[in-house]
Structures are given as structure tokens and as C-alpha cells.
């Protein structure tokens, strides 16, 4: 369906879900001269009251009432994972543009329903995989597309971070299958998994295992996983993720090409086959727990608004975002004996 353009001088923006990630969205909305926050919503009275006091906008107890009364052009959905698909579908059916935090859904079936809803709506849907907008990632993409390194052969990536009992106690939904849809793969490492399949292409096979190692007495979901992916064209990749480390180490990513190797570890190191080495510095870095959000929410949100105004599909739509969820779901299915029952 054709997407509608917005010709008003300022986009009216609402946000649902006033938890940790909301601050990234709220700051980006405030910084955009062509957008204005008109309302926020959350079932948590204290959470919504805090944002109302800070931002000076009306607060609502649920998405439906906010859409009815505030009538935003765009809604940012920053709620627990299990609410993503249904809230996005409700908004799209009203013709309200949606920027959805990852994951696109907690099940492939819900994700596919959202894809159908987006295709039948006049509104635009975007999903927050903001690390695709990091300067180093864009530099790697340009380098690979330039062809100087030749064809990609394969790659690997690792996410080794620290999450303890207090992290899950502060937001209990994070450790439950019914609300989070998973653990380290779907919550923290999904950004890096998205990048790996974005660089190496369509995933054709998944072999993996997910389990609880560090937090087996605390959470239902996995805290550690390892997998091997087969990609179209015979490429292959390895991926490892864990919340059981003692610190939030930098994400590592390595891509092997015919005429060189690209290594990301905060900065990017390009090792050419002829011995030359180039370095691309990362100038914007997230810190601590916020590191997994990346440093490019504002860039992604600004770009999303440009697409909304132009009436064109956003580069990271629901079908694109569904790819990482399919990979993760396959690993969970293969690990059923270790993980136990899932909804």
C-alpha cells in the first residue's frame, strides 16, 4: 500500500513505555526541530508521572487512550517485548506511523502478522536497529560495497557482557519467557546478530545452543548462546553471546574477505592482503549498560522522520527486522531440552 506523506510543519509524536530505553527516544525527539512530543503512556503510574514532570506533556495509562485523545502522527513503542507487535498493529490500523524498539515481536508468527499489517497500512513502520547507523558500521558497509576487499567469505561476532540479579530484579519481565521472549540473544545481542546477517547476507541454516550458565537460579531465559550460521553463497559465520562476564566488554566483529580482514573492537581495523592496515575511529560510544543501545538512536530517528515525511518505506521495516528473530527462534527451538518450556 502507498505510504502517506505528512505535510504539517511539525510531527506530533507520542511515546508508549516510559522505561530505561525511553530516554534515548525522548532526547532524540526533543532535539529534532521538526517534531514535538505531545503525549506519553505507561501502565506504571510512577514511570509515566516522572516523564510527564520532566517533559511537560500529558500522560496516559495506555496506548489506546493516548491515540484517541492526543492523536499523534507518530508513536514510539518502547514497552516490554511481548507488547510490541499488538501495539504496532493497533497504531498502524489507525494510520499512525510507528517506530518500534527491537525485537519486532517475541514470536515469528506475531512478527509475520505485523509484516502483513504494515503492508496494508498507509503508515510507515520502522524498527530500532540503531547500530546500523553507527559511523564505524556505515564505514564498514561502504568499504565492503566499494569492492576493494573482494567478496566476503565469512565472519564472526561476540557479545560478552555483565548482567546480574539486580538487573533482572529491577525489571522482572526481562527474565521471563512470556514477556521478554528470551534472554541475551533477543535482548542484548540481537543488535550484533542483526549486523552479522546484514553484512553476510541471507541466513540459510542455523545451528546453535542457548542455555543458562551464570544466572540459572535467577531467570527463566538464556544468558549464554553459541551458534553457527550458513549464509547464501556459501558464506559461514560464528556468533557467541553471554551475560555472564564480569564487565561490558566491547562488541567484537570480524569479517573475512578475499583481499583482507575487517575487525571491529570499538574502532575498526582493516588488514589488507598486501600488508596495509587502515584504522577507522569510533567517535561516539555508549557506556556501561547503555552500550548495547549504541550511540545512534538520534540518527536513526531523524532518518525515520524523513521517510515519514516523504511517504517512503524506512530501511529497517518489519520484514527486515524479522530476520534476526527467525535466527534466535531457531536456536531456542534447538535448545528446548536445556531451556525448558516456553510459551
Amino acid at each position: 500500500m502507498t505510504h502517506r506523506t505528512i505535510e504539517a510543519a511539525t510531527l506530533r509524536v507520542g511515546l508508549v513505555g516510559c522505561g530505561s530505553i525511553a530516554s534515548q527516544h525522548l532526547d532524540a525527539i526533543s532535539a529534532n526541530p521538526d517534531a514535538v512530543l505531545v503525549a506519553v503512556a505507561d501502565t506504571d503510574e510512577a514511570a509515566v508521572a516522572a516523564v510527564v514532570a520532566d517533559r511537560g506533556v500529558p500522560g496516559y495509562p495506555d496506548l489506546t487512550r493516548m491515540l484517541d485523545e492526543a492523536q499523534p502522527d507518530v508513536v514510539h513503542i518502547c514497552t516490554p517485548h511481548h507488547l510490541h507487535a499488538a501495539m504496532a498493529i493497533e497504531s498502524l490500523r489507525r494510520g499512525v506511523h510507528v517506530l518500534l524498539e527491537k525485537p519486532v515481536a517475541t514470536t515469528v508468527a506475531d512478527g509475520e502478522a505485523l509484516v502483513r499489517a504494515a503492508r496494508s497500512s498507509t503508515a510507515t513502520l520502522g524498527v530500532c536497529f540503531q547500530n546500523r547507523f553507527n559511523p564505524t558500521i556505515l564505514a564498514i558497509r561502504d568499504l565492503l560495497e566499494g569492492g576493494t576487499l573482494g567478496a566476503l567469505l565469512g565472519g564472526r561476532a561476540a557479545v560478552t557482557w555483565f548482567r546480574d540479579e539486580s538487573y533482572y530484579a529491577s525489571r522482572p519481565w526481562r527474565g521471563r519467557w512470556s514477556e521478554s521472549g528470551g534472554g541475551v540473544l533477543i535482548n542484548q545481542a540481537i543488535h550484533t546478530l542483526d549486523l552479522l546477517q546484514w553484512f553476510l547476507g541471507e541466513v540459510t541454516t542455523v545451528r546453535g545452543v542457548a542455555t543458562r550458565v551464570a544466572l540459572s537460579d535467577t531467570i527463566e531465559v538464556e544468558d549464554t548462546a553459541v551458534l553457527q550460521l550458513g549464509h547464501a553463497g556459501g558464506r559461514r559465520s560464528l556468533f557467541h553471546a553471554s551475560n555472564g562476564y564480569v564487565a561490558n566488554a566491547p562488541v567484537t566483529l570480524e569479517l573475512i574477505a578475499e583481499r583482507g580482514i575487517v575487525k571491529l573492537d570499538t574502532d575498526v581495523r582493516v588488514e589488507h592482503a598486501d600488508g596495509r592496515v587502515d584504522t577507522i575511529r569510533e567517535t561516539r560510544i555508549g557506556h556501561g549498560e547503555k552500550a548495547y543501545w549504541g550511540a545512534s538512536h538520534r540518527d536513526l530517528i531523524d532518518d525515520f522522520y524523513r521517510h515519514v515525511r516523504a511517504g517512503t518505506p524506512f530501511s529497517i521495516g518489519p520484514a527486515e527486522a524479522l530476520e534476526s528473530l527467525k535466527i534466535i527462534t531457531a536456536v531456542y527451538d534447538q535448545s528446548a531440552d536445556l531451556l525448558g518450556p516456553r510459551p
Side-chain angles (χ1 to χ4, degrees):
M1 181 173 289
T2 303
H3 292 237
R4 65 184 178 91
T5 59
I6 290 185
E7 298 177 357
T10 304
L11 290 173
R12 294 171 52 82
V13 182
L15 179 143
V16 57
C18 297
S20 301
I21 198 64
S23 62
Q24 299 288 311
H25 290 255
L26 293 168
D27 289 346
I29 296 165
S30 297
N32 190 299
D34 298 321
V36 60
L37 183 71
V38 297
V40 294
D42 200 304
T43 56
D44 185 326
E45 293 183 5
V48 76
V51 177
V52 167
D54 183 46
R55 304 286 171 165
V57 297
Y60 294 91
D62 58 69
L63 171 67
T64 300
R65 186 171 166 187
M66 184 182 76
L67 294 176
D68 285 342
E69 298 185 18
Q71 297 186 345
D73 301 309
V74 180
V75 64
H76 291 229
I77 297 176
C78 303
T79 56
H81 300 168
H82 69 297
L83 301 172
H84 285 188
M87 285 186 166
I89 289 171
E90 178 182 356
S91 302
L92 290 170
R93 286 176 175 168
R94 292 169 176 250
V96 177
H97 303 279
V98 175
L99 186 60
L100 180 64
E101 263 297 333
K102 57 75 190 168
V104 66
T106 54
T107 69
V108 172
D110 285 348
E112 290 173 340
L114 182 51
V115 170
R116 293 191 295 271
R119 287 174 178 165
S120 63
S121 175
T122 60
T124 299
L125 171 65
V127 184
C128 281
F129 281 105
Q130 72 279 352
N131 287 356
R132 292 192 186 193
F133 286 73
N134 289 353
T136 47
I137 298 303
L138 293 173
I140 292 173
R141 188 75 170 181
D142 289 344
L143 177 66
L144 297 176
E145 291 180 347
T148 58
L149 296 180
L152 274 176
L153 305 176
R156 60 174 175 156
V159 178
T160 48
W161 286 338
F162 170 74
R163 298 291 186 272
D164 60 7
E165 291 83 354
S166 65
Y167 170 81
Y168 293 96
S170 67
R171 300 283 194 279
W173 67 268
R174 292 167 169 165
R176 299 172 184 155
W177 284 113
S178 60
E179 294 172 289
S180 67
V184 65
L185 283 177
I186 205 169
N187 201 3
Q188 287 82 35
I190 191 171
H191 287 291
T192 308
L193 188 58
D194 170 68
L195 292 177
L196 196 62
Q197 64 87 28
W198 190 47
F199 284 132
L200 289 170
E202 179 188 0
V203 172
T204 55
T205 61
V206 179
R207 297 288 183 271
V209 61
T211 188
R212 288 176 293 275
V213 175
L215 296 161
S216 58
D217 297 328
T218 303
I219 57 177
E220 301 173 356
V221 297
E222 90 287 355
D223 60 36
T224 301
V226 61
L227 50 152
Q228 182 184 76
L229 305 177
H231 301 262
R235 292 179 292 277
R236 188 171 63 190
S237 65
L238 295 174
F239 186 76
H240 170 243
S242 179
N243 279 338
Y245 195 43
V246 296
N248 295 312
V251 168
T252 60
L253 174 70
E254 181 179 83
L255 300 170
I256 306 293
E258 292 174 316
R259 295 190 292 275
I261 302 174
V262 180
K263 297 180 179 180
L264 171 68
D265 184 349
T266 304
D267 296 329
V268 175
R269 179 182 173 90
V270 185
E271 300 174 355
H272 298 270
D274 61 9
R276 290 180 297 117
V277 176
D278 298 324
T279 301
I280 304 168
R281 300 293 182 188
E282 174 58 271
T283 57
R284 295 178 297 164
I285 305 170
H287 295 283
E289 183 180 328
K290 294 183 180 181
Y292 76 88
W293 294 338
S296 297
H297 261 99
R298 185 173 298 181
D299 292 340
L300 182 147
I301 290 168
D302 289 349
D303 192 50
F304 176 72
Y305 288 169
R306 284 191 287 269
H307 284 274
V308 166
R309 289 190 170 279
T312 55
F314 186 55
S315 59
I316 313 173
E320 178 81 3
L322 190 57
E323 293 305 308
S324 54
L325 180 61
K326 289 178 179 177
I327 296 167
I328 291 168
T329 300
V331 176
Y332 291 161
D333 289 344
Q334 294 170 22
S335 306
D337 289 345
L338 291 170
L339 296 176
R342 301 176 4 243

